[in-house]
Amino acid sequence: MNECSDWVSAYVGFFERLEAEALNNLEAVFSASATFKDPFNAVRGRRAIRQVFEHMFRTTRSPRFRVHDWMCAGNAAFIRWRFTCSLKGRGIDVTGVSHVEFDGSGRVTAHIDYWDAAEGMYERLPVIGLVLRWLRLCLGACAPAEFPPGACRACVDSRWLARALLVG
């Protein structure tokens, strides 16, 4: 293994075992000026990163990250993961990818998450979720087995709007 592989293995272990108490050890994981970005946050520095995770632990139940796989390129890595939790009694299940950069000592200098916030969160909201589910059906490519020739997903047939209503 090379240095990047060692660093990613340690980082993956940190996330897969992440609990509120582990936030006391962020100086071993993130550089002082590290950046963290996801669809809801864009912060710099360990204190701000800690606040993001504290918020996650305050607002969700049983948050867990499970890493599927990862790859290194120089001092950077791409990590494919699954996040599950309960939020206000509803199960959340999100799959995403993180682009992570490390300094020469293996601490994270940048962590950027890429995941579909609409599918993972917004589509579960009562009013906006309906609109987003309808848009996803309307804008998506037609599946030949499901739709007659020339049909345009939800926009043509009202039963697809009914499906959007029921999916949430």
Side-chain angles (χ1 to χ4, degrees):
M1 286 176 114
N2 61 29
E3 282 183 325
C4 182
S5 294
D6 294 339
W7 299 335
V8 175
S9 290
Y11 194 54
V12 163
F14 170 78
F15 268 98
E16 288 192 325
R17 293 184 298 276
L18 186 60
E19 294 184 0
E21 298 77 36
L23 299 179
N24 295 325
N25 196 30
L26 288 184
E27 64 279 348
V29 178
F30 291 94
S31 70
S33 61
T35 59
F36 180 92
K37 184 177 180 196
D38 67 15
F40 304 115
N41 304 281
V43 299
R44 177 179 296 279
R46 283 188 208 119
R47 182 175 180 197
I49 292 169
R50 180 184 179 114
Q51 290 172 337
V52 168
F53 289 114
E54 286 174 340
H55 180 262
M56 176 189 74
F57 283 114
R58 268 194 323 274
T59 58
T60 67
R61 294 200 185 276
S62 305
R64 290 287 172 253
F65 291 93
R66 295 291 173 249
V67 171
H68 295 291
D69 50 29
W70 51 267
M71 62 178 281
C72 286
N75 281 2
F78 294 91
I79 303 168
R80 192 169 59 97
W81 47 261
R82 179 179 179 196
F83 174 73
T84 57
C85 71
S86 176
L87 179 65
K88 297 184 180 182
R90 298 188 81 168
I92 302 293
D93 190 336
V94 176
T95 300
V97 174
S98 299
H99 174 229
V100 181
E101 296 178 7
F102 299 92
D103 65 16
S105 65
R107 288 185 295 177
V108 173
T109 59
H111 176 126
I112 304 171
D113 282 341
Y114 299 96
W115 55 277
D116 185 351
E119 181 180 8
M121 302 289 263
Y122 299 143
E123 284 184 359
R124 298 172 187 271
L125 299 173
V127 176
I128 195 158
L130 167 64
V131 173
L132 290 172
R133 290 190 303 271
W134 179 78
L135 279 173
R136 186 181 296 275
L137 288 170
C138 194
L139 297 174
C142 295
E146 291 186 61
F147 300 97
C152 180
R153 206 94 166 152
C155 301
V156 174
D157 191 339
S158 63
R159 66 187 159 170
W160 300 109
L161 180 58
R163 181 193 280 179
L165 287 166
L166 298 174
V167 169

